[in-house]
Amino acid sequence: MLGHIFMILVTGGAGFIGANFVLDWLAGSDEPVVNLDKLTYAGNLGNLASVQDDPRHVFVQGDIGDTALLDGLLKQHRPRAIVNFAAESHVDRSIHGAEDFIFTNIVGTFRLLEVARSYHAALIEPEKAAFRFLHVSTDEVYGSLTPQAPAFKEDHVYEPNSPYSASKAASDHLVRAWHHTHGLPVLTTNCSNNYGPYHFPEKLIPLMIVNALAGKPLPVYGDGQQVRDWLYVKDHCSAIRRVLEAGRLGETYNVGGWNEKANLSIVHIVCDLLDELSPRRDGESYRTQITHVTDRPGHDRRYAIDARKIERELGWKPAETFETGIRKTVQWYLANPEWVQSVQSGSYRDWVATQYGSTGAGA
Ligand code: NAD
Ligand code: DAU
């Protein structure tokens, strides 16, 4: 294969983080993107509306488990990198049924790795040396921390506790093995909880915003004292760009914003911002809508990321604080009611009825 390679392949680029990544990439670079996404319930072309007529964005609907499709796409577009966002991503859904998580997160990643391996083997220098496979993963693979334990470093033991995190852990191991055994030039990022625009309202922050504005209960699992470490999605995207550019082959990089907060305090912050930016007509606070509901089975108590390696080696730091990022996020949801309405399809209503039906927080 000869010729200058100037193109990346993104998988799962119609989902929350993938779409933000594609939008930010095209805003900052002329390099085209092929975007392969199955368009599950979580994938939404509306996230990509601003680049739908951009010739640098080629959208392909398809599955990362479809070897023939992947093979054809790599031969046709000859990307210099693959960035794998495609996954089933919601812990609660993995508890209701894990099969899609096994197929996409494990089998799909395996097939993508295999196709990438043959593609990479057929490349010639200098393209071969420049090729990268970046796997986007999560802090949940490390399990749960006690309150005083130090934050997760890259060499923390893998102790996944949910079907979702177990499937992501399996995919991380496959990526590692394809590097170690087959020499595939891989990079892995393990990031903490993201929030920001286009976040599907099955996840904590967008669910709370959407339910608050709809006058519905705000369902906090258990005592609400579980801790997550929040990062604005565009900071995650900048970290991935930086790792792609300068990460050391075969390494993993933890990505986080040093923003640990208990769930209940997140919900209070969201309510207080809504009280300020879109107050209830009756003058009451949105906090009055908070309801404690049955806890998530196997609920991890605390995640926290030690992000010193990516800062030290690659000079990456988040641009947003939690205060600036959450304000932008709430403002985005207030400014985009059509997007919210468009993602609340029949399947979304079925999900909230299944998960929250008995609590009053469902549709
Ligand atoms: P998401 O659920 O919003 O989006 C996933 C996307 O993948 C959707 O567009 C979906 O259609 C697509 N997809 C699903 N199965 C597919 C398949 N078989 N083939 C092709 N496309 C498929 O998820 P997200 O929150 O954007 O997460 C993206 C990635 O980042 C995931 O790998 C997730 O594990 C990881 N991650 C997420 C977070 C977070 O806080 N959301 C944090 C760390 C890591
Ligand atoms: O840590 C990174 C992970 O963050 C990603 O790998 C996952 O893809 C992503 O979904 C997210 O997982 P969480 O389970 O942490 O996110 P979620 O938004 O589902 O829940 C955040 C916390 O809020 C968690 O402790 C459960 C709680 N929660 C969630 C929902 C949906 C509630 O209390 N009530 C709710 O209705």
Side-chain angles (χ1 to χ4, degrees):
M1 290 187 197
L2 288 169
H4 184 56
I5 296 186
F6 189 61
M7 159 80 83
I8 63 165
L9 171 68
V10 165
T11 70
F16 164 47
I17 306 173
N20 275 286
F21 181 85
V22 168
L23 296 177
D24 290 0
W25 182 272
L26 294 174
S29 157
D30 285 333
E31 186 169 12
V33 177
V34 180
N35 183 353
L36 172 67
D37 194 296
K38 189 177 176 182
L39 295 182
T40 67
Y41 78 92
N44 177 12
L45 283 179
N47 299 355
L48 299 160
S50 62
V51 294
Q52 84 182 8
D53 298 322
D54 189 326
R56 296 170 306 157
H57 179 234
V58 181
F59 183 79
V60 179
Q61 182 172 4
D63 194 318
I64 57 164
D66 184 340
T67 302
L69 173 68
L70 288 170
D71 201 40
L73 278 179
L74 293 185
K75 288 196 172 109
Q76 182 188 351
H77 296 286
R78 307 184 56 236
R80 70 171 175 95
I82 297 173
V83 184
N84 182 30
F85 291 96
E88 288 295 331
S89 69
H90 193 32
V91 174
D92 293 321
R93 287 187 191 250
S94 81
I95 296 167
H96 283 267
E99 191 152 284
D100 288 346
F101 292 74
I102 305 303
F103 278 115
T104 286
N105 301 1
I106 306 179
V107 179
T109 302
F110 156 69
R111 295 207 176 130
L112 188 59
L113 284 165
E114 278 294 81
V115 174
R117 177 161 81 96
S118 359
Y119 171 72
H120 177 247
L123 285 173
I124 56 164
E125 301 299 352
E127 280 84 4
K128 189 169 190 164
F131 183 75
R132 297 288 182 270
F133 183 104
L134 192 152
H135 180 61
V136 179
S137 192
T138 168
D139 60 359
E140 299 202 11
V141 297
Y142 299 126
S144 186
L145 290 168
T146 56
Q148 306 308 327
F152 300 127
K153 286 192 185 168
E154 286 78 0
D155 59 1
H156 194 282
V157 63
Y158 267 46
E159 282 177 341
N161 290 318
S162 73
Y164 162 69
S165 56
S167 69
K168 290 295 291 186
S171 69
D172 292 8
H173 290 322
L174 293 174
V175 170
R176 177 188 161 92
W178 260 240
H179 174 69
H180 189 80
T181 299
H182 296 303
L184 189 69
V186 307
L187 298 156
T188 299
T189 54
N190 293 84
C191 189
S192 61
N193 285 62
N194 286 212
Y195 66 99
Y198 305 111
H199 204 180
F200 195 74
E202 64 185 354
K203 309 282 168 56
L204 178 72
I205 289 180
L207 181 82
M208 293 300 155
I209 299 172
V210 166
N211 272 21
L213 293 171
K216 290 182 185 167
L218 307 181
V220 171
Y221 297 161
D223 64 3
Q225 294 310 313
Q226 306 82 3
V227 171
R228 298 291 181 267
D229 189 353
W230 294 93
L231 182 70
Y232 192 60
V233 63
K234 289 180 183 301
D235 282 324
H236 187 188
C237 295
S238 75
I240 292 169
R241 291 196 300 274
R242 186 69 192 128
V243 172
L244 190 58
E245 183 176 60
R248 284 191 290 132
L249 290 189
E251 291 290 314
T252 67
Y253 292 90
N254 282 357
V255 183
W258 304 97
N259 260 312
E260 285 185 62
K261 293 213 184 314
N263 293 338
L264 192 57
S265 102
I266 292 286
V267 179
H268 286 158
I269 291 167
V270 167
C271 288
D272 296 352
L273 274 166
L274 285 170
D275 287 341
E276 176 196 329
L277 299 169
S278 182
R280 272 174 46 157
R281 287 211 185 92
D282 63 4
E284 292 283 338
S285 169
Y286 288 101
R287 287 191 186 206
T288 59
Q289 292 168 229
I290 293 171
T291 324
H292 287 265
V293 301
T294 309
D295 209 350
R296 172 186 278 175
H299 200 169
D300 284 339
R301 200 66 187 164
R302 174 177 168 240
Y303 305 139
I305 279 283
D306 183 329
R308 280 179 291 186
K309 177 176 173 184
I310 188 171
E311 181 177 349
R312 187 177 63 244
E313 287 192 12
L314 305 179
W316 175 87
K317 269 189 186 180
E320 301 289 344
T321 63
F322 189 72
E323 289 63 35
T324 59
I326 193 68
R327 181 172 284 273
K328 282 185 183 176
T329 303
V330 171
Q331 283 168 333
W332 187 88
Y333 279 86
L334 288 170
N336 290 280
E338 307 78 17
W339 181 88
V340 172
Q341 210 182 1
S342 74
V343 300
Q344 290 178 310
S345 65
S347 78
Y348 177 78
R349 287 196 294 275
D350 292 347
W351 164 251
V352 290
T354 304
Q355 176 70 357
Y356 303 104
S358 59
T359 70

